Amino acid sequence: MRNNKTASLFPKELVIESLKQSFVKLNPRMMFRNPIMFIVEVVTFVMLFVTIWAAATGDTTQGSFGYNILVFIVLFATLLFTNFAEAIAEARGKAQADSLRKTREETPAKLCVGNKIETVSSSQLKKGDIFICEAGDTIPSDGEIIEGLASIDESAITGESAPVIREAGGDKSSVTGGTKVLSDQIKVKVTTEPGESFLDKMIALVEGASRQKTPNEIALTILLAGFTLVFVVVCGTLKPFADYSNTTITIAAFISLFVCLIPTTIGGLLSAIGIAGMDRALSANVITKSGKAVETAGDIDTLLLDKTGTITIGNRKATQFYPVSGIDEHSFVQACLLSSLSDDTPEGKSIVELGREKGVRVHDLNTSGSKMIKFTAETKCSGVDLANGTRIRKGAFDAIRKMSEAAGNKYPKEVADLVQKITSNGGTPLVVSQDDFIIGVIELQDIIKPGIQERFERLRKMGVKTVMVTGDNPLTAKYIAEKAGVDDYIAEAKPEDKMNYIRKEQENGKLVAMMGDGTNDAPALAQANVGVAMNSGTQAAKEAGNMVDLDNDPTKLIEIVEIGKQLLMTRGTLTTFSIANDVAKYFAIVPALFMVTIPALAPMNIMHLHSPESAILSAIIFNAIIIPILIPLALRGVAYKPIGASALLRRNLLIYGLGGVIAPFIGIKLIDMIVSLFM
């Protein structure tokens, strides 16, 4: 998606479309979704009626025609600016949707019908259908590879040009419609109904068609509506005061004061902030199923991360051979290589590489007539049966120990000590046996990703607890956890262990996030408050999570947390700024209204505004122009720094609270100086 991002916040074509939508959104049925701005629209058209009435009758008791029409124009501009903020945020999403539609064009599909292949349109594919894709074909629909392996170009979805490998079985079997097969052939089973594909959901999401107000947005809207009712009462109380002091307050003044006091700034920007938050998540190549998920990410207390591929590089490497006493090292290395010839795992390949460094090459080994024993998850070992009857096995120490003891052989203390030493140093031991006699140990080491300690420290400053999940034994897990700088770990983790840990944290009132890609991760992803599934993962995982990471980057959770916190901060700081603005505008307008008839209020007119009319006009002009000024901030979001909640609160109160009080005094005074030149 990165290649679809707009470099500018306000591209010309989007601005033109957004300006049109600003007028379309004046429809009362659309405005009603935003109670505050709907009220502003109502009083704006009341002001229009007053202006027409003043022009028709020539009555100046409610101010001159020029003054009334100017107030109406400014109020109308306030509505347009508000609608523009929402429209530009929506337009950015729709621009991304248009580029996605080009990807979702109908493509031919090679449908398997019995033993025949039929070419049909991708729109005709149903859930459960099976199709074949070869090199050069565009994948017609979302599905799971059930046979074969292929290199796939996912740039249409992710924006990344580097091809990825997808294969049947395991956790890298999912393919997305619209991506392209670069090599080999795969057989795919369709996992979605027409119109429900990943791309369809993406398009609906970025267009805003499926966007609903989050609980936080709803709560804030109710709060702002309460503020609005309060200021209705405040403005209503001014009438008796005015009558008592023989002060004439025009309808224009009442309406202007009301519009200035209600939280129009945040009311106008609230929707744009939510849409922009979703857009920032998409810009990070993360698809969210709801805005609530992004918000929840900002409040996360606990983060579950897989060790492999997240904290470590992912592939363990063989670093040392340890033959037992009495076994020649060269012979032991040969045995290690022979037992690894059928091991296609990265670990198996690294053993062959380490053997080459030790001077033992595969082509020097005599394997004629040998039977290769492939590595399986059940046996936890691989090996070879040589033509002369020699049996060599290599695998997890507990599997080889059981095999050796079952044959009546003793488990050497030397081997037990080596295993203990390797695991306590964060390594993984692989034990090698020949004819059921243990002959040595291979050390595998996880390579911790550079800079991961700093990222965990950053999360710690955010107040987020990090938990490493690994299938390693407790000793290895403890070593890597300490070295990486995580707060806790789950060793020898099974799917139910993840579930139990998440539930335990949630029972203590914590919000939990985790990432997974396999079917066995689905229950935990569904249980977590924020579940991020890898795009390469299984369909079950993607359905269980409430986010999908297009980059398949396990560390993306850290970025998601920051995006969520930024969304919450942006909404909070702009709300603070808006309410602080209202307080300042009250003290700017009210003294100016009464200073002629009540001279004692003159000292409160600290800005020395020219007249009540100029004060009113200056205040509503400032109220209108502050909205477009803040649109870039609403779209980009407030800059986030992991400095702790208390420090963030102090900083934002200082910048946006105090700034919100000071800004209107300066702005209204400057506008008044200009307005007074024409009055």
Side-chain angles (χ1 to χ4, degrees):
M1 286 302 302
R2 286 176 184 146
N3 58 344
N4 296 328
K5 289 193 294 183
T6 35
S8 170
L9 280 177
F10 304 105
K12 185 180 176 182
E13 61 277 10
L14 296 190
V15 170
I16 294 169
E17 178 60 29
S18 300
L19 287 171
K20 293 177 185 174
Q21 287 299 313
S22 301
F23 288 90
V24 173
K25 289 177 178 289
L26 290 172
N27 185 333
R29 286 178 295 181
M30 297 176 74
M31 293 294 293
F32 191 74
R33 292 179 299 177
N34 188 337
I36 294 165
M37 299 316 299
F38 177 71
I39 292 170
V40 174
E41 184 174 43
V42 170
V43 297
T44 299
F45 283 96
V46 169
M47 195 64 231
L48 176 62
F49 175 77
V50 171
T51 303
I52 294 169
W53 179 81
T57 62
D59 189 346
T60 58
T61 56
Q62 295 299 324
S64 66
F65 171 76
Y67 170 69
N68 285 319
I69 191 72
L70 195 55
V71 170
F72 166 74
I73 290 169
V74 175
L75 293 176
F76 189 71
T78 304
L79 289 171
L80 291 179
F81 289 152
T82 298
N83 289 344
F84 178 80
E86 184 177 8
I88 192 71
E90 288 177 350
R92 286 160 61 83
K94 286 177 181 176
Q96 290 177 321
D98 289 339
S99 63
L100 288 171
R101 275 199 188 87
K102 294 173 184 174
T103 305
R104 197 198 55 176
E105 292 174 354
E106 285 196 9
T107 54
K110 298 171 183 174
L111 182 66
C112 297
V113 183
N115 295 322
K116 298 188 297 180
I117 303 291
E118 291 183 8
T119 302
V120 299
S121 171
S122 58
S123 59
Q124 293 179 256
L125 292 174
K126 303 184 298 296
K127 190 174 181 179
D129 285 346
I130 294 172
F131 62 85
I132 288 174
C133 276
E134 299 172 327
D137 291 348
T138 298
I139 297 173
S141 178
D142 294 2
E144 298 265 357
I145 300 174
I146 58 174
E147 190 180 301
L149 172 150
S151 176
I152 296 179
D153 176 10
E154 294 186 343
S155 59
I157 306 295
T158 66
E160 298 294 333
S161 57
V164 294
I165 302 296
R166 297 285 176 263
E167 59 185 321
D171 298 335
K172 305 289 183 186
S173 60
S174 179
V175 291
T176 306
T179 57
K180 192 172 182 179
V181 177
L182 298 179
S183 68
D184 302 292
Q185 178 180 292
I186 50 175
K187 188 178 282 187
V188 182
K189 185 177 182 179
V190 179
T191 53
T192 59
E193 296 290 353
E196 295 179 5
S197 72
F198 187 66
L199 271 175
D200 289 314
K201 291 175 181 176
M202 276 177 72
I203 290 165
L205 187 73
V206 299
E207 280 189 316
S210 63
R211 188 185 118 77
Q212 296 178 328
K213 282 190 175 182
T214 65
N216 279 349
E217 276 185 280
I218 294 168
L220 185 55
T221 302
I222 294 169
L223 176 67
L224 297 178
F227 270 118
T228 303
L229 289 173
V230 168
F231 285 116
V232 168
V233 175
V234 169
C235 291
T237 60
L238 290 179
K239 180 61 178 170
F241 279 110
D243 291 343
Y244 180 78
S245 61
N246 294 318
T247 303
T248 301
I249 301 180
T250 62
I251 294 173
F254 272 117
I255 287 175
S256 299
L257 179 63
F258 174 68
V259 171
C260 286
L261 294 187
I262 65 174
T264 49
T265 307
I266 185 62
L269 294 172
L270 190 57
S271 182
I273 292 168
I275 296 168
M278 298 280 283
D279 183 61
R280 281 195 295 278
L282 190 62
S283 297
N285 272 10
V286 176
I287 301 299
T288 62
K289 295 181 182 178
S290 69
K292 184 184 176 183
V294 182
E295 283 186 354
T296 306
D299 285 330
I300 283 299
D301 301 295
T302 306
L303 193 58
L304 267 68
L305 296 158
D306 276 331
K307 181 202 73 174
T308 307
T310 306
I311 295 167
T312 61
I313 296 294
N315 298 333
R316 289 172 294 189
K317 292 186 70 174
T319 55
Q320 192 62 51
F321 295 116
Y322 295 101
V324 298
S325 300
I327 301 294
D328 175 63
E329 184 179 5
H330 186 79
S331 300
F332 176 65
V333 173
Q334 283 184 324
C336 293
L337 263 66
L338 284 166
S339 63
S340 301
L341 292 176
S342 58
D343 185 357
D344 292 329
T345 65
E347 291 86 354
K349 292 174 182 176
S350 76
I351 292 169
V352 174
E353 288 174 12
L354 183 62
R356 192 184 300 122
E357 292 175 14
K358 298 283 185 180
V360 180
R361 299 184 180 275
V362 173
H363 58 75
D364 294 333
L365 303 173
N366 184 14
T367 57
S368 58
S370 301
K371 181 186 176 185
M372 299 297 175
I373 312 296
K374 285 188 173 291
F375 174 85
T376 64
E378 288 77 26
T379 61
K380 294 184 180 177
C381 66
S382 63
V384 62
D385 292 343
L386 298 176
N388 62 8
T390 302
R391 289 175 288 107
I392 302 171
R393 296 291 185 272
K394 174 212 72 194
F397 71 90
D398 54 342
I400 302 297
R401 181 179 64 185
K402 286 176 185 175
M403 194 183 296
S404 179
E405 289 176 346
N409 300 314
K410 191 178 177 183
Y411 186 63
K413 185 179 181 301
E414 183 186 354
V415 173
D417 291 342
L418 276 170
V419 167
Q420 175 72 19
K421 178 187 172 184
I422 292 167
T423 52
S424 57
N425 287 331
T428 301
L430 291 179
V431 178
V432 183
S433 71
Q434 185 170 312
D435 296 329
D436 297 326
F437 286 95
I438 294 173
I439 59 172
V441 183
I442 306 168
E443 181 179 4
L444 302 177
Q445 279 289 347
D446 282 301
I447 301 168
I448 293 175
K449 285 186 176 180
I452 200 73
Q453 294 95 335
E454 290 77 10
R455 300 200 77 176
F456 287 141
E457 183 58 34
R458 187 176 174 90
L459 282 168
R460 199 170 290 110
K461 287 178 180 177
M462 295 181 200
V464 179
K465 175 186 175 184
T466 51
V467 181
M468 182 184 78
V469 181
T470 176
D472 288 337
N473 63 73
L475 276 174
T476 303
K478 184 182 178 191
Y479 177 86
I480 293 174
E482 288 175 352
K483 199 170 178 183
V486 296
D487 301 307
D488 199 2
Y489 62 90
I490 307 171
E492 297 177 343
K494 297 182 283 295
E496 56 268 28
D497 296 329
K498 298 177 191 178
M499 283 281 291
N500 293 337
Y501 194 98
I502 292 169
R503 283 178 180 152
K504 183 184 170 186
E505 289 288 294
Q506 289 172 334
E507 285 168 4
N508 293 329
K510 304 287 180 67
L511 295 177
V512 184
M514 79 159 281
M515 178 172 269
D517 59 0
T519 302
N520 64 342
D521 292 324
L525 286 169
Q527 181 67 35
N529 302 94
V530 177
V532 185
M534 301 249 196
N535 189 40
S536 63
T538 62
Q539 194 66 26
K542 288 198 279 188
E543 287 175 1
N546 46 24
M547 292 187 183
V548 178
D549 175 28
L550 300 177
D551 291 335
N552 307 305
D553 177 8
T555 62
K556 189 63 71 67
L557 265 171
I558 300 168
E559 198 169 341
I560 290 166
V561 171
E562 291 190 352
I563 290 168
K565 287 187 179 293
Q566 191 182 36
L567 172 62
L568 295 173
M569 277 177 51
T570 303
R571 190 182 293 138
T573 52
L574 289 183
T575 301
T576 304
F577 184 86
S578 178
I579 293 171
N581 257 245
D582 298 337
V583 173
K585 284 179 283 192
Y586 184 85
F587 287 100
I589 297 172
V590 173
L593 287 176
F594 290 94
M595 66 183 177
V596 176
T597 53
I598 310 177
L601 288 177
M604 291 185 67
N605 184 25
I606 57 176
M607 289 183 284
H608 302 290
L609 300 178
H610 181 261
S611 66
E613 289 81 8
S614 72
I616 292 291
L617 282 172
S618 301
I620 61 169
I621 290 171
F622 177 83
N623 191 69
I625 65 173
I626 200 68
I627 294 173
I629 289 172
L630 291 174
I631 288 175
L633 186 64
L635 296 180
R636 284 203 183 93
V638 174
Y640 175 73
K641 293 181 180 178
I643 55 176
S646 300
L648 272 175
L649 183 62
R650 284 195 302 271
R651 190 192 75 168
N652 291 335
L653 282 175
L654 182 65
I655 297 172
Y656 297 97
L658 186 61
V661 172
I662 295 170
F665 284 97
I666 298 171
I668 291 171
K669 178 61 180 175
L670 291 172
I671 295 168
D672 181 75
M673 290 167 66
I674 298 168
V675 169
S676 62
L677 297 174
F678 303 94
M679 298 187 73

